[in-house]
Every structure is written in C-alpha cells, then in structure tokens.
Amino acid sequence: PSPPNILTTATISSLGGDVRSSIKIAGLEQSDDSGGSGGVSRGADVPASMYPDLAPPPRNKHAADAKEDGFVSSALVFEDKTSPTLSGTHVDATMEPMKDMVASEKQVVVEGLQDVSGEGGTGGTPPHKVHQGAGGKSGSVEQHEEAWDDVSSPIVGNWSRLIAKHYYYILLGLVATCIAMSVFVMYGPADQRCTPGATSGQMTVCDTTPYDWSLPYGNASLFKDAYLNAIESVEPAFKTLTGGDTGQVAERSASANDFAITWIFQHEDGSDSTIFTPKKVQAMCEAEAVVTQHPLWGYYCPLAADGSCAGQTLSAVHRFYATPQERKDCTLLSQGTVDARSAALMSNLLTSTNGYFANEGTVEGGYTNATRSMLQLGQPLKGFTGEEDDNDDQRLVYRMLAQGFKCGKDGKVPMHDSKFEGFDADSPCAGKSEGTEIVGVEQKIFDHFSMKGFPESGQFQGALRSAYFVKPKVELDGEGALRARFYAGMFQQLEFNRVVNGDLNFAILSVATVFYYIYFHTRSALIATASMFHIVISLPVGYFFYFNVFQYHYYSQMHILAIFLALGIGADSVFVYVDAWKESGKMHTIRTNAGRVHFALHRSAQSCFNTTFTTVMSFVATCLTPIMPIHAFAVYAAIVMSVNYLLVISYTPCIVMIYHIHMSDKGGCCCFCTGAGTWCKWQEHAEQDTVEARQRDKCYNCAWYSKGEANLPKPAAMHEESAIQRANSSQERETLETLLSRMGKVEHFMYERYSPLLMGRTPHAPFYKKPVACGVILFFLGYFAFMLSSAAQLTPPKTEELWFPDGHMHNADFFKRLADGWKGTADNQYIRAAITVGVDEMERPNYNWFFPGRERGAVTWDPLFDLTQPEQQLFFMSACDAVQGHACEGGGDSPCKGGRLVRSGQQVSCVVRDLLNRYKATTDATATTIPANAFFGVYKDYVNTAGEATQSQLKQVIGGNDAKVLWASITFMTSADAESLSNARGHHLKENLRELVDGLRGGAPGGMQSIFFTDLERPGGGFTWTEVEDALVQNLFTGFSICFPVVFVVLVFASGNLLLALYATVSIAMIVVGVLGAVQVYHGWDLGIAESISGVIVIGFSVDYTVHLGHMYKEAWDQPSREEKTRFALTHMGGTVVGGGLTTALSGGVLFLCTLLFFTKMGTLLVWTIFLSMFHALFFFMACCAVAGPTGNFGSVYYMFRVCRERMGFGKKE
C-alpha cells in the first residue's frame, strides 16, 4: 500500500474537494496550512527500491554504469535533475497539466508528472513547476532538482570526482609545481638589462632610469631624443673637425644640475630678522662642510683650471668664507664682516645671481630672513665625454657619492661595469682593508644633524621610519635655532628606494591580518594557513609566467602592490568556496563527499570566475596605457589574479576535502585536544560517506587522532526507512527557516532584521509600500549625482607629483618653498628649450619598451636641409628674432615671468648669425648671407678657432659631417621656472612654443619645414612629464569605455537576466563615481598616478559583491516572489560579502601605515572601493531587487533566447 503523503496517479485521481494536507511527490513538498504564500521546498528523494512504480530511468548509460565506491548509484540519478547553473537553461514541464485533478480555492496543479500506474508507463520524474491558485499571488515557481551527487558531467563533475578520490595526489602535484616555479623565479637567470651585475633572481627590482615614465612615441619624447641624438650622431665628425680630442667636454667643466645639493636655511621660530648673523653663517658653513670636506668630494666637484675644486657661485657660504681653508675651518666671523658681506649679497638683486639668496619680499639693500644655497657637482665625470654619454652609468656613479660603498680587495672600489675612471689612479680605498666602509654624504649629513630613523642602522636602516621625518636644526646660544632643509635628486632616489622597501614590509602585516580574519571566518587555522600559502604563492607563480612565458622582464616596486590585491580577491574566493561547502553539509539531498565538492566547486567556480574575469579585464584595460611601468604592473596583476583563480578551483577544494576527512567533526587542535568547545567544528558527527572515506584514507588511519574513533558516535546506517524519516524531518535543508538554525550571526541578522526592514512587512506589496528600500535607492541616487559633479572637477596635478607626506622633509611645502618665494632663480632652474631644423624623423628600430634607457633609436636627416642656401640662412636668423621677441602671457596658468618667452636679460643662441658675423668680420662686412661656396669653410674655421668652452657650446647647436652641415638649433632660456611647472602651466608653455613653431613653419622655405621644438630638461621631465599626466587621464576614460561594456556582458551571463545586469552595472558606475568623487571632496587630490590607476582597477573590484548577490538572487529559483528571492540572496551570501569586504579592506588598510604617498593613496582608494562596493551591493542593489527585481521569466536571457528560437522554428514550443 502507498504510504501517506506519497501520491501516484491513482491517488491523485481519487482526490477531490479541498486539498489541504501536506503532500510529498518524489521530493517536492507543499505546505499550506496557514494561508501562507504556498512556499515550495524540496524533500529527500524517495528510494526506488521501496517505490518502484515511481522510480525514474537513469539519466544516461554512463550514469547507470557508474559503480565507483563512495558515489551515487544509478537508482538515485534522476533523468530531469538539471540545474540552471549547470545547463544554463531553465527546465519547464513538457507534459500538459492533468485535467482530472479537482481543487478548491487553493489549488495545487502538478505539471510534468507522467502516468506510472497504467500501461506503458516508463517511470516518473519529479514535477518541475507548482502554480499557485487564485488564493495567492499569480506567478510561477520553477523547481530545479539539482543532482549534485551525479558527478558525470564532463568538466566540473569529473573534476569534483577526482578531487574527492585523489585529493592528496592533486594537492601534492599543485604544491610541487608552484614551489618549483617559485624557486626558478627566485634563483633563475636574471636579465642584466634590468639589473646590471645581478647573477641570479628573476624577481629583482630593475634599476630605475629617467626614461621609465616617458612616452617613447609621444612627441615630447621623440623630439627630445631627436635633438640629443643629433648631437651624438655627429660627435665623431665634430671631433675630427676640431682636431681629435677638442670638442669633447672637459672633465667636470660644467655643472651637473640634476645632482646639485640645495639647502634652505631659515629661523626655527620664523622671526622676521636677518638670517645672516655670525653664528648662523657659521652653522651654515659647518653644514656645507659635511659635503665639501667629504673624502669623495674631490672626485665629484666642478674643476677649476688648475684642477682643484672650483668655487660655488650659488653657495651662500662661499659669499662669506672666501677661501677653501676658511670654508674648512668655519671660524666665527665678526659682526662687521658678516654685515658687510651681507650688504653686498643683498644688492643688485634683480640684475645678478644675488636674487637667488633673497626672499621675494626683500628690498634692495635690505635683509632676508631665509636663504638658499646650492653645492653643484661637476660633469662629465672622468671617463665620460659629456652629459649625455651613458646617462645610466653616470647616474649610478653619482649615487655612490650619496650612498657610499665598501672597499674591495687591494684597495679597489667595487664598481659595476662602468666607464668611470676617477677611482683608477687615486682610489679612496687606497691603504684600506677590504670591507672598510666609505660612508656616503647623505649619512654624514644625518649624523651632523642627529637625524635617526628606525632601525637606526643595518640593511633595513630607516625602513619603518625615515630619518627625513626628523627636522634638522642647530641650537645656537643666545639666538634662536637655525632650521636647515636639504635636497638632491640622488638623495631623493635613495630615500624613495629605502621607503618603498620599508613600506613593503607592511605586506607581512597585511598577510597576518588577512590570516586571522580567514581563521575567524572559517574557524580553521589549517584552512587559513593553506589559504595564505595559495595567495602568497600566486605572486611568484604569476611572475614565472610573466617573465618566462610572456617575456616581460621589467619589475618595479609597484608590482608589489599585487600582494594587497591578491589578498583581497583570494580571501574572498576562499570564503565563497568554504561557505558553499558548509552549506552543502546542511543539504540532505547531497549524500556524498563528491556531491559536496561538486556543489561547492560549481558555485565558487562560476561566481569567482565572474569576479576574477572582470578584475582581470580592468587590468587589461589598464594595459592599454602607453606608460610602461603601469602597463607592466597591470599585466603582472592580471596574471596573478588568473593564477589565484586557478588555485581556488584546484588547490582550495583539496585542502577543504583533507580538512573535512581529518578534522571537520573534531575542530582541529583547539577543540580536539582540549575536548571543550564546538566553535571550530564544522559538523557534529561524520556522515556515512565520510566514515567510508576515512576507512580508505591511509594517512587518516595513521594519524594519532584516528585511534579514538571507536569512542566517537557513529552515524546511523543508511537504509530505505531512513530516507522517509529524513523526508519528513524538520531538519530539512530546503527552507531558509530550517537552514537558519545552523547559520551564523550575520545570516541571522540578514534574515531576521535587515531583509524585513528592506522589503517591508507586507508580502508582495507594491513599491510604494516599501519605504525603506525606496528611500535607500533615492539616497544613493542623490549621493551619486553629488559625487558625479565632484568627480567632473578632477584635473591633472596642478603641481609636481609628490611622493612623501607632510611630516617628511621632502614634502609639498618644501618643494613649493624650494621654487617659489625668492627674488631670483638660478639660471639652471629655468627651463631651457631648443628649436631645431635638419632632422627628418626619429626612428627606433631596436627599441625595447621595458629597457627604455637603451637603444633609443637614431635620427634621419632632412635631405632638403642646406644652410648654404641664402633663403634658409635668412629664415634661420628671422626665426631667432621671432623667438627673442615672442610674448608669453595667459594669466595664472602662464609659467612665464615678465610676459616674454625668453628670460629677461638673456639672448637666444643663433649660430647662423654668429657664422655670418664671423664672415663679415673676416671677408665681407656688407654681406647679408654667407655664399654657398664659402659657408662650410666659415663653419670649420669658426669651430676650429673657438675656445674649448665655445666649442662645447657649438656642439649643442650645430653639427655635420666632413662635407656639410646636417642640422642646426636655436637654443634659449625660457622665463618659466622648472620647479613650478604644473600640468596646466606645462601645457601653456608647450602651446606657446607650438604656436611659435607652427607660425615659423608656415613661412619656411624648403628644407626648413622639418622645424620642431623641445625642452632641454632631463629625460622624463618637462614636456615629457606633461604628456605622461595627459596619458594617465586618457587611460582612465579608455579603461571606462572598455570595462563597462565587458562588465555588463559578464553580468548578463552571470545573472542570466538583463534587469539584474542593468541594476548591477548602474551600481558599479555609482561605485566608480563615488571613489573618484571622494578623491576630490574628502581628500582634495588631483587626478595623478595613483588616482588614474585606481579609477580603472576600481571597476574590477567593485563587481565582486554585486555579482555574488546577483548570482544568489538567480539561484533562488524555488522562491516565488522578489521579496523571498532578495531574502534568500542576502541570507546565503550576505555573510560572504561582509567577510570578503572586510578582508580586502583590512589588507588595503595596512597601506595607511606606509610612508610613500602613492601607497597610502592606493590603500585609501582601495578601502573606499571596498566599502562603497559593499554598501552599494547590500543596500542599493538589493533595494532595487526588493522593489523591482525580476521574477519568473521577466528579463531572462535564456527565456528570450528560447522564444526567439521557437519563433524562428528551431525549437519545439512548450
């Protein structure tokens, strides 16, 4: 006889009248005894051996033949157990509703039940859909039976089966492979182009060059390289023309402006009195003597004609102490001597370099309460031919003065492969034993002012706190203290490297923070430890592919940021898998470990793929930038994110499976050893399949904790009767109420507090009866509008990009004071420019983007350029006059002083006019041009008879071979200060020069059409940096144009619903605008490097939580209304979203402790992104779903596709 609540066709036919009782049809349970909404829940499948008339046929022969131990038998594989998450389609009934069934006002209509009692019955399938009658709301609930125990699917199913059987082997294979790749990265062959002298280690930070942050194919970079290469390419001919060695810049005969040491001295109390008092002048002298009396100073100082160190014209100390001996002794001068020399220094402020030492408000003959002083270094160093000769090599040699070194064997100085010959004849290590340290100038200055960092010494000196946070000052008896600040490019580079390396130590703290949170969330130290291994190992494994497969050989400190990104993404993925695994343990329809792996792996593989793919695509969009360091970082981060995903779906399931077999009912050491507490237990007792797996697991049987297995409660044996008991059990998994008893506090809060608040207390209510949800939506839309207006005001930096915070010596105030507020500026602080003719184009045939300091290309000459032609000579000289008289105005954005392009009192260098004057002085005083047959002879004669200094200058403005002049240039000093050249001012100056050159080109004769301009600032500075800032902004909007369409497509496939995808995309747009708006509103930052990079990356990170919740909303197929779907999504995924968000925020928050502003900005933007993503996902997105979320087939992409196929005649209409 049929048991109660089990219906066959016969019993259904016999039903009549009101259907009120709880019914069970092969796992489908309807309970409607209180006028509820007719909720449907899935019960346990009825055993086929007990009820053969309801037994369905196997899904396929492969499933029927699957007899492997520990896996589902064929009798339990239902034909139509198809999940939308597996097949990607909704399953609807193919059979007409039964006409015989009589129902009252609450009618239950069962579709898809085949007749199994009559002839020809082939077995039954569970019903797919239950329609609610007139008593409830209209609509349908699709019931999707998910056969997770069926692991016959070709990819996820088979992989789940392999993990459930061979978890040890898979884990060992993955760990061994990852470790092997990591070892190869750490000890494999290095690229000498990246780090000269490195013998091993691919993951080595490359030496920085001024070209790293330049656009190699931008006009500013091409024009500057063309000018410099024009000089270099004709240098051999120039040497021959001048008699061999002449024409080569004499050793240290010029100033190396990029390496000068600049001081600012002022009163500590800011008093308005003269800074030049005897005691303070003496203190200044003692400070500069630290540099000038250093044992290495003689190898770097500018040289006088007699070979001694030349005087320093921009040193205030040299104006008071005239002789080298006086500057060495620094004796206290008399008041009269100081007053007299101070008065001389404060005269002719506008017509001499004296203005360099005086405040802007200083009057002629008055006093200044602060002063500047500069110690210049000489260039080129011995062994180099000029400033541009092997820039990278010379920069490393200059750095040795700042950093110091340890002596090598036989009194030699250990050098990289260098041209430098200064230490060959007279080594500073002569007579010193190996290992003797020559302390650098920077450390000597630290010692002089008692500036100490933390740690104070050793390899990691100043790593946690820089010495530059100590304000150097000198206490003077009877006077206020003298405050000193100093700067040099080589000091800043050392500090930058030191601070970056120190900041990276905080990655360890970030790892520890995330470890403890994973431990708290998963309640397992083993899972937390293994998860941290997989996250951290993804960095070297990703680098293995980055370096060896994709052939990216550039590695900078920026790449280390990937660890903070990987920590957030990796932890979030672990939470998704672990939470899904725990949920599978509460589903009585899953009876095997393979089924649990199948369920957890399927959910995490799909959900994490969506989030990982969008994050990777955000990095791919960032890759489109023409800025090499950002491009390389984005490629590396994308690879790391991909590796992290692959490990989540392969490594993490093995770890969880091992933990489940060994510890899930024991709780690890903390619970098992003490015998107290159940907090860290994942389940009370092992199930039958786990017991059987333990019996087969040799490692488990060898473990000491398995010996007490006999004392642990054993699960009840599985038999037919127990299935019925489970089907009728109140512990059924299918309802949220049942599951909630075994969920955490966050899930309880989402279900009991937040969901009712958001949705209101009335089921199926219209939107105007959901005031909280509507209010949330309106609030977020209003906030979005405000932030959009703020984000629209973002512009590139108005000042030079800063790297250090306010407390650091090299902060914004220092650089502003260094450049502004002075009566005059040193000549070398004004931007120099050149207008050049004769060069056709700049070609880079062997250029390698990742080693920008090498193989920068060569120029090709303009074949029409010929200075022997009178019209070209006249044009060149008219161009000189045009430059000299060109105006440069424009209000606050104009960098020009005095309204003129050329600095007041300066003349342009017009080499053709100089040659004409030479011809007029020696041949024809009335000539207006040089005859064609005489031009080259005049040129050779002029160069040969010029002095050495003039020859060095001529080399910068004209050049040719042994037959003709190939190029010429007009060089001049602009009135723009290089130190205060912001993006806006840089554009103003650049456009002013472009206007000038375009006007000249319009009237140029043939051969002069190739005219171009460039600044003569260091590579990477000047107009080159202006282009970089423009590229950052352009890349931001390019990233938006790529990422948002990609995100929308991913969301459509992830949710299967256009409406959900639209809500999610709008949420993501609001998050991006919110982050960029916060940059302007709360922090007052400009659109600099960190902001531009983060703007695109934000898109990838902001997708994660919205995708998770949207995925769960779709998975709520057994919830008939949008309110219940919303509650289902919040209850099942709310905890994961909160956990993942807090973990990522914690890992990014550690960046707040860093010194470098770039890192603190990135941390701030990351935290903003995470919190805004969490709030928009949990509030705005869920409110949209609660108010107007899709139900049934509304917005379903799969339904639309099916309808289109039917209308096109490709599918059978159902």
Side-chain angles (χ1 to χ4, degrees):
S2 300
N5 301 335
I6 298 299
L7 302 184
T8 65
T9 304
T11 58
I12 292 177
S13 300
S14 66
L15 288 174
D18 199 5
V19 180
R20 297 284 185 180
S21 62
S22 178
I23 64 173
K24 172 69 60 179
I25 305 179
L28 185 67
E29 183 178 357
Q30 151 100 20
S31 181
D32 189 14
D33 53 358
S34 58
S37 60
V40 178
S41 62
R42 187 173 60 216
D45 302 325
V46 179
S49 60
M50 192 169 182
Y51 305 100
D53 58 338
L54 290 180
R59 172 183 285 182
N60 51 49
K61 186 176 184 300
H62 175 77
D65 293 339
K67 300 293 184 181
E68 302 187 51
D69 292 338
F71 297 100
V72 64
S73 67
S74 61
L76 297 178
V77 182
F78 284 174
E79 180 181 11
D80 287 71
K81 281 189 174 180
T82 306
S83 164
T85 58
L86 287 174
S87 65
T89 61
H90 292 281
V91 181
D92 289 326
T94 59
M95 308 299 291
E96 292 294 326
M98 300 182 64
K99 308 294 185 183
D100 305 356
M101 187 166 182
V102 180
S104 64
E105 65 173 352
K106 290 205 179 225
Q107 185 181 26
V108 178
V109 182
V110 181
E111 293 185 4
L113 187 66
Q114 298 179 348
D115 188 347
V116 297
S117 64
E119 307 81 349
T122 60
T125 61
H128 303 292
K129 186 179 293 185
V130 174
H131 288 283
Q132 198 172 348
K137 291 292 180 181
S138 61
S140 65
V141 180
E142 293 183 352
Q143 178 71 17
H144 299 278
E145 289 291 339
E146 299 176 334
W148 298 114
D149 285 330
D150 174 15
V151 290
S152 60
S153 59
I155 300 177
V156 179
N158 279 327
W159 182 237
S160 302
R161 178 172 54 83
L162 289 172
I163 290 174
K165 287 189 65 177
H166 308 297
Y167 39 87
Y168 288 126
Y169 296 115
I170 295 174
L171 180 65
L172 289 175
L174 289 171
V175 171
T177 302
C178 290
I179 292 177
M181 289 181 176
S182 303
V183 171
F184 187 81
V185 163
M186 296 302 175
Y187 300 100
D191 193 327
Q192 293 291 328
R193 295 172 298 176
C194 170
T195 309
T199 57
S200 64
Q202 296 177 349
M203 208 170 185
T204 305
V205 175
C206 294
D207 287 346
T208 57
T209 73
Y211 298 100
D212 290 350
W213 288 80
S214 63
L215 276 59
Y217 295 99
N219 283 338
S221 182
L222 285 171
F223 290 161
K224 186 176 294 186
D225 284 354
Y227 171 77
L228 296 175
N229 186 258
I231 298 173
E232 182 181 354
S233 60
V234 298
E235 185 171 356
F238 193 89
K239 288 182 180 181
T240 302
L241 181 66
T242 55
D245 291 336
T246 55
Q248 176 177 334
V249 181
E251 178 191 350
R252 290 185 275 159
S253 59
S255 297
N257 300 327
D258 291 341
F259 302 98
I261 303 172
T262 304
W263 301 81
I264 294 180
F265 298 105
Q266 61 190 101
H267 299 297
E268 173 68 13
D269 58 6
S271 61
D272 185 18
S273 59
T274 181
I275 193 69
F276 297 124
T277 66
K279 289 185 178 180
K280 288 183 177 175
V281 168
Q282 183 185 35
M284 295 178 199
C285 178
E286 291 171 345
E288 289 197 0
V290 174
V291 179
T292 59
Q293 303 305 313
H294 192 277
L296 296 178
W297 176 249
Y299 299 92
Y300 293 91
C301 65
L303 294 180
D306 60 358
S308 62
C309 289
Q312 297 281 344
T313 58
L314 293 178
S315 167
V317 172
H318 280 59
R319 300 299 182 97
F320 289 90
Y321 294 92
T323 67
Q325 188 60 44
E326 290 178 353
R327 292 190 290 271
K328 179 180 179 181
D329 297 337
C330 293
T331 56
L332 184 65
L333 301 177
S334 65
Q335 185 67 54
T337 302
V338 171
D339 290 344
R341 294 177 180 175
S342 175
L345 192 60
M346 293 297 100
S347 62
N348 303 318
L349 296 177
L350 298 178
T351 58
S352 69
T353 57
N354 289 354
Y356 178 80
F357 305 102
N359 266 337
E360 191 172 30
T362 304
V363 298
E364 188 73 18
Y367 66 89
T368 179
N369 64 351
T371 190
R372 287 184 295 180
S373 187
M374 180 187 292
L375 292 175
Q376 297 173 305
L377 276 64
Q379 67 89 15
L381 298 174
K382 189 174 182 179
F384 299 93
T385 60
E387 180 181 4
E388 301 302 325
D389 183 16
D390 206 337
N391 281 337
D392 294 344
D393 189 3
Q394 287 199 71
R395 187 176 62 257
L396 292 175
V397 177
Y398 280 114
R399 191 182 300 176
M400 295 175 70
L401 170 66
Q403 189 174 18
F405 49 84
K406 290 185 178 181
C407 295
K409 296 180 180 180
D410 303 325
K412 300 291 185 181
V413 177
M415 295 285 295
H416 57 281
D417 185 14
S418 174
K419 292 182 179 180
F420 183 58
E421 301 173 357
F423 296 153
D424 292 350
D426 182 19
S427 172
C429 290
K432 295 181 172 64
S433 61
E434 182 180 1
T436 300
E437 183 175 7
I438 304 295
V439 180
V441 166
E442 184 191 45
Q443 185 59 47
K444 287 286 190 181
I445 296 176
F446 288 165
D447 294 341
H448 178 76
F449 288 107
S450 299
M451 299 168 62
K452 296 181 180 180
F454 181 78
E456 293 186 10
S457 60
Q459 181 181 358
F460 300 100
Q461 179 181 2
L464 298 180
R465 181 172 176 81
S466 170
Y468 282 100
F469 281 99
V470 179
K471 297 180 179 179
K473 60 182 180 180
V474 180
E475 297 289 346
L476 302 172
D477 295 337
E479 298 185 20
L482 175 70
R483 183 182 177 188
R485 289 184 286 180
F486 55 91
Y487 171 82
M490 53 187 176
F491 291 169
Q492 187 177 36
Q493 186 61 53
L494 289 177
E495 174 67 356
F496 183 85
N497 293 339
R498 187 165 46 232
V499 166
V500 168
N501 292 331
D503 286 349
L504 297 181
N505 293 326
F506 290 113
I508 301 173
L509 179 60
S510 183
V511 169
T513 303
V514 174
F515 168 83
Y516 281 112
Y517 193 85
I518 293 178
Y519 171 67
F520 172 79
H521 187 92
T522 63
R523 297 176 291 170
S524 169
L526 174 64
I527 298 294
T529 303
S531 299
M532 296 316 302
F533 173 82
H534 120 240
I535 293 171
V536 174
I537 204 71
S538 64
L539 296 173
V541 171
Y543 195 83
F544 176 86
F545 292 100
Y546 171 84
F547 190 95
N548 298 288
V549 177
F550 295 98
Q551 293 295 304
Y552 279 72
H553 290 190
Y554 178 82
Y555 186 70
S556 68
Q557 289 92 344
M558 185 186 297
H559 286 57
I560 309 298
L561 281 174
I563 181 61
F564 300 100
L565 307 179
L567 283 169
I569 293 289
D572 178 58
S573 301
V574 170
F575 292 159
V576 171
Y577 185 87
V578 171
D579 290 349
W581 173 268
K582 290 181 179 179
E583 182 179 340
S584 70
K586 304 162 190 173
M587 298 170 62
H588 292 299
T589 52
I590 299 179
R591 300 179 178 87
T592 64
N593 288 331
R596 295 188 66 180
V597 175
H598 192 186
F599 175 83
L601 186 59
H602 179 267
R603 175 180 288 183
S604 57
Q606 183 176 3
S607 182
C608 295
F609 174 81
N610 297 329
T611 58
T612 300
F613 182 77
T614 51
T615 303
V616 168
M617 286 306 300
S618 71
F619 285 117
V620 170
T622 307
C623 289
L624 299 179
T625 180
I627 304 170
M628 184 273 293
I630 297 178
H631 170 88
F633 163 71
V635 171
Y636 176 61
I639 295 173
V640 169
M641 297 298 108
S642 302
V643 170
N644 186 72
Y645 172 75
L646 294 176
L647 291 175
V648 164
I649 62 174
S650 57
Y651 171 89
T652 301
C654 294
I655 291 294
V656 172
M657 187 66 190
I658 292 172
Y659 182 80
H660 172 71
I661 295 297
H662 287 260
M663 291 292 177
S664 59
D665 58 331
K666 300 178 177 61
C669 295
C670 64
C671 293
F672 184 73
C673 295
T674 60
T678 60
W679 175 82
C680 48
K681 292 184 180 181
W682 284 10
Q683 61 188 57
E684 283 299 320
H685 308 297
E687 296 179 349
Q688 182 68 31
D689 195 61
T690 303
V691 173
E692 294 173 358
R694 286 177 174 178
Q695 292 173 354
R696 296 190 301 268
D697 192 318
K698 296 180 180 179
C699 292
Y700 178 82
N701 292 321
C702 291
W704 61 271
Y705 46 78
S706 67
K707 307 308 179 185
E709 199 75 15
N711 298 324
L712 295 176
K714 293 293 184 182
M718 185 70 69
H719 51 78
E720 288 101 353
E721 188 176 351
S722 67
I724 298 298
Q725 293 171 357
R726 293 177 66 188
N728 294 324
S729 171
S730 61
Q731 297 298 318
E732 192 60 9
R733 170 254 176 216
E734 307 307 324
T735 64
L736 280 177
E737 292 82 356
T738 303
L739 289 173
L740 203 62
S741 63
R742 294 186 292 274
M743 287 186 173
K745 293 182 179 179
V746 176
E747 288 79 7
H748 275 269
F749 173 81
M750 293 292 178
Y751 181 86
E752 298 169 355
R753 302 289 183 182
Y754 178 56
S755 297
L757 179 67
L758 192 67
M759 300 179 300
R761 296 291 180 179
T762 305
H764 309 288
F767 73 92
Y768 53 82
K769 291 189 177 180
K770 299 172 182 175
V772 174
C774 293
V776 167
I777 294 173
L778 291 175
F779 170 80
F780 275 90
L781 289 175
Y783 187 76
F784 168 72
F786 171 68
M787 284 297 170
L788 182 62
S789 65
S790 301
Q793 302 174 26
L794 286 172
T795 60
K798 301 178 179 63
T799 59
E800 187 177 357
E801 189 86 19
L802 298 173
W803 299 100
F804 301 106
D806 290 339
H808 195 278
M809 184 190 296
H810 297 163
N811 57 19
D813 175 70
F814 175 70
F815 282 106
K816 187 176 187 312
R817 188 67 179 111
L818 201 63
D820 297 333
W822 303 98
K823 203 69 174 180
T825 301
D827 288 348
N828 59 14
Q829 291 186 320
Y830 286 95
I831 294 177
R832 295 185 59 82
I835 296 177
T836 305
V837 290
V839 175
D840 187 34
E841 66 177 318
M842 182 72 186
E843 297 180 344
R844 304 189 193 274
N846 300 316
Y847 180 74
N848 188 316
W849 196 21
F850 303 107
F851 307 105
R854 303 168 182 266
E855 302 290 344
R856 293 196 63 81
V859 297
T860 58
W861 307 112
D862 186 349
L864 299 178
F865 175 76
D866 186 3
L867 274 181
T868 63
Q869 301 300 314
E871 64 273 14
Q872 294 193 23
Q873 295 179 39
L874 291 173
F875 171 79
F876 193 95
M877 290 184 287
S878 67
C880 294
D881 296 334
V883 173
Q884 187 71 50
H886 192 66
C888 180
E889 300 175 346
D893 285 339
S894 176
C896 302
K897 298 180 180 179
R900 313 300 296 180
L901 176 63
V902 179
R903 186 187 176 195
S904 177
Q906 297 289 323
Q907 295 293 319
V908 301
S909 175
C910 190
V911 65
V912 173
R913 179 170 289 134
D914 293 339
L915 294 176
L916 176 61
N917 291 336
R918 178 61 174 263
Y919 179 75
K920 291 167 67 174
T922 58
T923 307
D924 184 359
T926 62
T928 57
T929 62
I930 304 172
N933 59 357
F935 186 88
F936 194 69
V938 173
Y939 163 69
K940 289 198 301 182
D941 180 64
Y942 185 72
V943 172
N944 274 316
T945 58
E948 190 173 286
T950 304
Q951 287 178 345
S952 297
Q953 295 173 1
L954 285 172
K955 181 182 174 182
Q956 312 297 316
V957 296
I958 194 169
N961 53 27
D962 56 358
K964 63 174 293 188
V965 173
L966 296 173
W967 69 277
S969 185
I970 304 169
T971 59
F972 54 96
M973 183 182 295
T974 71
S975 59
D977 184 359
E979 297 295 335
S980 60
L981 193 69
S982 64
N983 183 270
R985 292 185 174 189
H987 271 292
H988 189 283
L989 181 61
K990 187 177 179 181
E991 291 304 315
N992 185 275
L993 281 166
R994 191 194 309 280
E995 177 187 344
L996 170 63
V997 170
D998 287 348
L1000 292 173
R1001 187 181 292 113
M1008 291 286 176
Q1009 295 288 333
S1010 57
I1011 186 171
F1012 68 89
F1013 70 92
T1014 181
D1015 68 275
L1016 300 183
E1017 291 298 295
R1018 67 188 184 279
F1023 299 148
T1024 305
W1025 185 250
T1026 302
E1027 280 191 346
V1028 169
E1029 292 175 322
D1030 294 342
L1032 290 170
V1033 177
Q1034 182 180 2
N1035 184 69
L1036 179 65
F1037 291 102
T1038 301
F1040 288 166
S1041 66
I1042 294 173
C1043 283
F1044 276 109
V1046 169
V1047 164
F1048 180 76
V1049 172
V1050 170
L1051 290 170
V1052 167
F1053 281 98
S1055 64
N1057 192 285
L1058 289 174
L1059 191 59
L1060 284 178
L1062 177 63
Y1063 291 161
T1065 304
V1066 171
S1067 299
I1068 292 161
M1070 295 170 70
I1071 294 165
V1072 174
V1073 170
V1075 172
L1076 294 178
V1079 167
Q1080 203 276 336
V1081 174
Y1082 303 121
H1083 303 286
W1085 297 339
D1086 298 310
L1087 201 59
I1089 296 175
E1091 296 84 354
S1092 300
I1093 297 173
S1094 300
V1096 180
I1097 297 176
V1098 160
I1099 300 174
F1101 274 82
S1102 59
V1103 171
D1104 294 8
Y1105 311 123
T1106 306
V1107 167
H1108 289 332
L1109 289 169
H1111 179 73
M1112 291 310 300
Y1113 187 95
K1114 182 193 75 169
E1115 287 292 299
W1117 41 260
D1118 55 351
Q1119 306 297 319
S1121 66
R1122 61 176 56 95
E1123 292 86 357
E1124 289 170 302
K1125 289 177 180 287
T1126 302
R1127 184 174 61 182
F1128 182 93
L1130 285 169
T1131 304
H1132 278 272
M1133 193 56 70
T1136 302
V1137 168
V1138 172
L1142 290 178
T1143 305
T1144 309
L1146 287 172
S1147 67
V1150 173
L1151 289 169
F1152 293 160
L1153 303 175
C1154 295
T1155 300
L1156 207 65
L1157 282 180
F1158 176 80
F1159 287 161
T1160 56
K1161 282 185 175 182
M1162 288 294 291
T1164 301
L1165 294 168
L1166 183 60
V1167 171
W1168 269 114
T1169 300
I1170 298 307
F1171 277 113
L1172 286 177
S1173 298
M1174 287 175 56
F1175 281 114
H1176 280 80
L1178 292 172
F1179 292 94
F1180 177 78
F1181 179 72
M1182 284 287 95
C1184 290
C1185 291
V1187 170
T1191 58
N1193 289 322
F1194 185 81
S1196 172
V1197 177
Y1198 308 118
Y1199 178 76
M1200 295 178 188
F1201 178 72
R1202 186 181 66 193
V1203 170
C1204 290
R1205 291 193 65 208
E1206 290 173 356
R1207 292 182 178 178
M1208 295 173 66
F1210 294 112
K1212 180 181 177 181
K1213 187 174 181 180
E1214 297 180 1

